[in-house]
């Protein structure tokens, strides 16, 4: 391959693989003719569709999801949280791959076809390729299993790591956490076979990156309470991990499911709750950039807990709900004060055809946006298909999402009573079916 052809292939790969990382200010978020929430099923179909293209932060597909959310909240008649807009701006650092090249024994491998980026560094090496049992000099090491990577990350003789993946395609998110002192690449099974056959040969690896500050939006609506000094935040992240070439990571379970559930709750409460009828503000928070470090929720949590006081804000977060996998729905409370409310919710779920529910206490479940709130209830499923091409609508139970939405909405209507000291009226009734777990 001549130099001009190689450059063309590389640039084409980057265009196909890299997230946009564009500044949201170059886009328009409103649009009266844009679709809006009509039902859980229709919302799921839109969010996982081609127009949203995997909903990766900083891309046109993510913006399409923002428009959908904005138009839905507008249609529900919810109040705008920020000075006449549903947009809640935050900044984040966006990682971009500037160069990457992998060659061995006269063969140049193609990004997005033969290999994928896991960790990135600034490097330019020509070193022998060593199998994991034969690291004796400065080298690039080839591993069969990612579970064995830790010793090689700290081994000074190892300059870069290539790891076999069984997945035909892997997403890339512009997350600063990918920056490392060693480049780590996932290689496909075919690529792994070729590399293994040529172990000992010289690997040429170049990689480089840059980081730039970008801006984007959460989408936030609210129902105001009566001189409220407390806030109940209902949240779900709407972003996902995007696409690679023509392969879209649809993110039906993660987290179109939670987003659709939250929209259904917002619509129900907008119809049932009159302004100033509650003694707390109800905040509907659709978080962005969860997939690159929970950055949208981090920014929002700092602001809202600063406004009301940490002790006066509670978050109920939904992430990966309604999966058809034979796994329990998990409910994790951040502290003992919320356990009664969680058990009331579990009772509601048990009575609404969600029988398999497990409860845990503490911050052990730290994989979603609730982690930034001192007081939180986290509703989720520990799904095996997230961030894979298998995460499509066939793996979502729409009726289960509707039932979960109904139960959470019912909890919200009684939330002040449920969290008072002592037993609430509902909690005095028969105990819910609760399985204790140590998540």
């Amino acid at each position: 391959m001549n130099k001009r052809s190689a450059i063309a292939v590389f640039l084409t790969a980057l265009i196909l693989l890299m997230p946009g990382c564009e500044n949201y200010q170059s886009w328009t978020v409103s649009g009266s003719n844009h679709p809006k929430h009509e039902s859980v099923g229709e919302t799921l179909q839109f969010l996982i569709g081609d127009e949203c293209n995997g909903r990766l932060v900083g891309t046109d597909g993510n913006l399409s999801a923002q428009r959908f959310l904005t138009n839905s909240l507008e249609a529900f008649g919810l109040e705008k949280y920020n000075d006449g807009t549903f947009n809640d701006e935050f900044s984040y650092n966006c990682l971009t791959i500037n160069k990457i090249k992998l060659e061995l024994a006269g063969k140049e491998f193609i990004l997005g076809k033969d290999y994928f980026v896991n960790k990135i560094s600034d490097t330019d090496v020509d070193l022998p390729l060593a199998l994991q049992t034969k690291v004796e000099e400065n080298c690039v090491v080839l591993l069969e299993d990612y579970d064995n990577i830790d010793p090689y990350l700290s081994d000074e003789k190892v300059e870069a790591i290539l790891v076999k993946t069984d997945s035909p395609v892997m997403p890339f998110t512009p997350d600063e956490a990918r920056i490392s002192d060693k480049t780590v690449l996932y290689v496909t099974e075919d690529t792994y076979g070729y590399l293994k056959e040529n172990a000992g040969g010289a690997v040429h690896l170049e990689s480089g990156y840059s980081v730039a500050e970008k801006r984007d939006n959460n989408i936030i609506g609210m129902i105001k309470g009566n001189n409220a000094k407390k806030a109940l935040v209902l949240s779900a992240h709407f972003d996902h991990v995007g696409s690679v070439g023509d392969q879209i990571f649809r993110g039906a379970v993660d987290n179109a499911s939670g987003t659709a559930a939250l929209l259904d709750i917002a619509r129900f409460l907008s119809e049932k709750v009159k302004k100033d009828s509650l003694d707390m503000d109800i905040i509907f928070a659709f978080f962005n950039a969860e997939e690159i470090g929970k950055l949208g929720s981090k920014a929002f949590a700092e602001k809202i807990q600063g406004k009301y006081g940490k002790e006066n804000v509670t978050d109920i977060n939904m992430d990966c709900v309604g999966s058809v996998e034979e796994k329990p729905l998990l409910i994790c409370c951040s502290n003992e004060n919320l356990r009664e409310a969680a058990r009331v919710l579990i009772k509601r779920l048990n009575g609404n055809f969600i029988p398999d529910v497990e409860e845990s206490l503490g911050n052990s479940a730290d994989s979603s946006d609730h982690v930034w709130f001192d007081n939180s209830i986290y509703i989720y499923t520990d799904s095996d298909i997230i961030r894979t091409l298998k995460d499509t609508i066939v793996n979502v139970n729409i009726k289960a999402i509707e039932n979960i939405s109904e139960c959470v909405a019912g909890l919200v209507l009684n939330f002040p009573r449920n969290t008072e000291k002592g037993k609430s009226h509902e909690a005095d009734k028969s105990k819910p079916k609760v399985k204790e777990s140590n998540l």
Side-chain angles (χ1 to χ4, degrees):
M1 182 182 295
N2 62 42
K3 184 175 181 180
R4 180 175 295 176
S5 297
I7 292 172
V9 169
F10 171 68
L11 291 176
T12 300
L14 283 186
I15 290 169
L16 291 172
L17 290 167
M18 290 303 299
C21 282
E22 296 183 51
N23 194 314
Y24 84 97
Q25 291 177 322
S26 66
W27 297 326
T28 302
V29 177
S30 62
S32 59
N33 296 323
H34 206 75
K36 60 183 183 294
H37 179 80
E38 302 289 349
S39 68
V40 166
E42 290 175 274
T43 290
L44 285 167
Q45 290 285 5
F46 178 81
L47 291 174
I48 70 171
D50 290 357
E51 181 176 343
C52 289
N53 196 33
R55 310 187 303 279
L56 181 64
V57 64
T59 65
D60 288 338
N62 183 278
L63 186 72
S64 290
Q66 290 184 43
R67 293 192 191 103
F68 183 91
L69 295 170
T70 297
N71 288 337
S72 297
L73 300 189
E74 190 87 58
F76 300 159
L78 294 182
E79 295 193 44
K80 298 176 173 67
Y81 182 76
N82 286 314
D83 299 325
T85 178
F86 291 115
N87 296 348
D88 176 65
E89 179 187 329
F90 65 95
S91 62
Y92 68 100
N93 291 328
C94 180
L95 171 68
T96 299
I97 297 176
N98 295 332
K99 63 177 180 179
I100 189 154
K101 188 174 186 180
L102 177 65
E103 296 177 306
L104 174 67
K107 179 178 176 64
E108 181 174 350
F109 300 96
I110 300 173
L111 176 65
K113 177 178 178 291
D114 302 318
Y115 68 95
F116 312 94
V117 176
N118 174 254
K119 299 285 186 183
I120 189 77
S121 67
D122 284 318
T123 191
D124 187 347
V125 297
D126 289 278
L127 291 169
L129 178 65
L131 301 179
Q132 63 187 60
T133 57
K134 299 180 179 180
V135 178
E136 299 175 352
E137 57 184 333
N138 286 358
C139 65
V140 175
V141 70
L142 178 65
L143 304 181
E144 187 171 7
D145 190 343
Y146 191 88
D147 290 341
N148 299 324
I149 198 171
D150 285 349
Y152 303 97
L153 289 171
S154 58
D155 191 331
E156 294 182 358
K157 297 189 296 294
V158 176
E159 298 286 342
I161 303 172
L162 311 178
V163 189
K164 187 181 82 168
T165 176
D166 295 329
S167 175
V169 60
M170 302 283 287
F172 179 87
T173 54
D175 186 350
E176 273 190 299
R178 292 186 181 274
I179 299 172
S180 173
D181 60 349
K182 296 177 183 179
T183 294
V184 179
L185 305 178
Y186 287 117
V187 298
T188 63
E189 290 191 64
D190 288 346
T191 303
Y192 176 82
Y194 182 90
L195 294 169
K196 188 175 181 180
E197 287 179 6
N198 291 275
V203 171
H204 176 61
L205 174 62
E206 293 181 44
S207 61
Y209 67 91
S210 60
V211 176
E213 183 178 356
K214 303 294 179 180
R215 299 179 188 179
D216 221 304
N217 295 307
N218 302 310
I219 304 298
I220 312 291
M222 69 182 299
I223 299 174
K224 284 188 177 180
N226 183 20
N227 296 319
K229 296 181 180 180
K230 295 183 178 181
L232 178 61
V233 179
L234 307 175
S235 64
H237 77 88
F238 66 89
D239 66 304
H240 195 50
V241 297
S243 61
V244 175
D246 60 357
Q247 301 265 37
I248 299 175
F249 291 85
R250 305 279 175 183
V253 174
D254 183 21
N255 184 36
S257 64
T259 304
L262 182 53
L263 282 169
D264 226 37
I265 294 166
R267 180 175 63 176
F268 176 84
L269 292 178
S270 70
E271 295 169 354
K272 298 296 183 183
V273 177
K274 294 182 179 179
K275 181 180 177 181
D276 298 334
S277 64
L278 299 177
D279 65 354
M280 62 172 61
D281 292 338
I282 308 299
I283 312 294
F284 302 94
F286 298 85
F287 290 134
N288 206 347
E290 192 268 356
E291 298 287 359
I292 63 168
K294 303 176 279 293
L295 301 182
S297 57
K298 181 180 181 181
F300 181 76
E302 290 174 355
K303 288 182 286 190
I304 194 169
Q305 290 180 130
K307 176 181 178 180
Y308 292 87
K310 290 184 177 181
E311 70 280 4
N312 294 320
V313 178
T314 300
D315 175 49
I316 300 177
N317 184 51
M318 294 175 290
D319 196 347
C320 301
V321 297
S323 170
V324 299
E325 298 167 274
E326 294 183 0
K327 288 174 172 279
L329 185 69
L330 305 173
I331 297 181
C332 181
C333 303
S334 62
N335 56 61
E336 189 67 42
N337 293 335
L338 291 169
R339 202 156 197 178
E340 186 178 322
R343 290 190 169 185
V344 170
L345 175 59
I346 291 170
K347 182 183 176 184
R348 287 178 173 273
L349 292 165
N350 290 162
N352 207 12
F353 308 104
I354 310 289
D356 193 7
V357 185
E358 294 185 4
E359 177 196 359
S360 66
L361 179 66
N363 293 317
S364 56
D366 61 355
S367 59
S368 192
D369 296 301
H370 64 287
V371 298
W372 308 117
F373 295 88
D374 280 19
N375 301 299
S376 66
I377 297 174
Y378 177 32
I379 306 168
Y380 68 111
T381 303
D382 191 13
S383 174
D384 292 328
I385 62 171
I386 62 172
R387 291 190 167 207
T388 74
L389 295 175
K390 295 179 182 179
D391 187 3
T392 64
I393 198 149
V394 299
N395 286 303
V396 174
N397 184 332
I398 293 174
K399 185 60 179 176
I401 296 173
E402 293 171 344
N403 290 343
I404 291 167
S405 301
E406 180 182 331
C407 292
V408 173
L411 177 70
V412 171
L413 291 174
N414 295 281
F415 197 80
R417 178 174 54 175
N418 289 340
T419 55
E420 291 174 355
K421 291 183 179 179
K423 293 183 178 179
S424 71
H425 175 70
E426 290 190 66
D428 282 335
K429 299 176 184 178
S430 57
K431 291 255 183 198
K433 300 173 187 175
V434 178
K435 297 179 182 178
E436 299 287 352
S437 69
N438 296 314
L439 295 176

